[in-house]
Amino acid sequence: IDVEDLLGRAQTPLDRNAMRQLIEDKKVLITGAGGSIGSELVRQVCGFAPRTLTLVDSSEYALYTIDLELSQKWPELDRSAMIADVRDRDRIDQIMQTVSPDLVFHAAALKHVPLVEANVCEGLATNVIGTRNVADACVTANVSAMVVVSTDKAINPTNIMGASKRLAEIYCQALDLDSTSAPNTRFVTVRFGNVLGSTGSVV
């Protein structure tokens, strides 16, 4: 039995040609690369032949695990693994300036609703301030596009996690509309629902 069997509907086919055009021969950076969503993003990106791939995560073990997997499945890929917390503005700025990515997927977040409810300041620090740090660093480094991985809980939020992600979305949307502050960087948000097989999934 595959986890997808629990969907109760056909899976939505992906436009793989458009994805390849977005990623192929580009320098890609992924925050939260060791997480359940970030690591799957890493695997998908690797399949579209990026020029380089930079993995960023605050968890040494999670980062080591996904980096080890890549070394076995895509040994020829030019990659680097960098330990960093998105809350650390200076470290994020330094990484962006060093790597100078074309495309950033921002998946780093605190996402478990009960834990964020119990640790409000930590949730806000990571989900709001962390996203702002990454977005501002993208603008400074002239990144072409930043994709913000958000949540359906940001729609009319009823909890701190959803509200924090909505704040992050609003900040990035404002930058996307401000051609003066961010003339060279596009900001795109994608909202995920409950992700099958992710850490903390009901499955």
Side-chain angles (χ1 to χ4, degrees), residues 22-24 26-30 45 50-55 99 101-105:
L22 180 70
I23 294 166
E24 190 172 32
K26 299 290 197 314
K27 293 186 287 184
V28 179
L29 182 148
I30 300 176
V45 166
R51 187 190 315 170
T52 65
L53 180 59
T54 303
L55 314 174
V99 175
D102 302 304
L103 177 63
V104 171
F105 289 95

Side-chain angles (χ1 to χ4, degrees), residues 11-200:
Q11 292 188 66
T12 303
L14 299 173
D15 186 346
R16 301 193 74 80
N17 288 331
M19 292 165 68
R20 183 172 294 280
Q21 289 174 14
L22 180 70
I23 294 166
E24 190 172 32
D25 202 34
K26 299 290 197 314
K27 293 186 287 184
V28 179
L29 182 148
I30 300 176
T31 71
S36 51
I37 293 173
S39 61
E40 185 56 33
L41 266 174
V42 168
R43 295 180 193 101
Q44 296 294 327
V45 166
C46 285
F48 293 107
R51 187 190 315 170
T52 65
L53 180 59
T54 303
L55 314 174
V56 177
D57 205 290
S58 61
S59 166
E60 179 194 20
Y61 179 71
L63 191 60
Y64 169 78
T65 302
I66 189 63
D67 188 51
L68 180 63
E69 181 180 330
L70 297 195
S71 72
Q72 296 167 346
K73 292 184 178 176
W74 290 277
E76 74 291 343
L77 178 64
D78 183 357
R79 72 184 196 284
S80 57
M82 298 189 171
I83 299 174
D85 191 329
V86 292
R87 303 180 192 187
D88 185 344
R89 187 182 186 92
D90 291 340
R91 174 67 171 148
I92 296 300
D93 283 339
Q94 182 244 328
I95 288 173
M96 290 289 184
Q97 292 299 318
T98 301
V99 175
S100 189
D102 302 304
L103 177 63
V104 171
F105 289 95
H106 178 51
L110 296 182
K111 63 178 186 178
H112 292 103
V113 171
L115 283 176
V116 176
E117 287 294 312
N119 299 273
V120 173
C121 291
E122 300 302 306
L124 293 174
T126 296
N127 295 352
V128 182
I129 305 303
T131 300
R132 185 191 69 181
N133 290 342
V134 174
D136 289 350
C138 284
V139 171
T140 303
N142 288 314
V143 173
S144 295
M146 173 179 168
V147 179
V148 181
V149 177
S150 189
T151 170
D152 59 354
K153 294 172 183 65
I155 304 165
N156 299 322
T158 59
N159 51 59
I160 298 297
M161 195 280 278
S164 67
K165 296 295 279 185
R166 182 68 187 119
L167 282 169
E169 289 181 2
I170 290 169
Y171 186 80
C172 291
Q173 286 171 333
L175 281 179
D176 191 60
L177 294 170
D178 188 350
S179 58
T180 305
S181 297
N184 302 315
T185 306
R186 287 297 319 276
F187 292 88
V188 181
T189 296
V190 57
R191 285 173 172 164
F192 284 5
N194 294 318
V195 179
L196 285 176
S198 68
T199 306

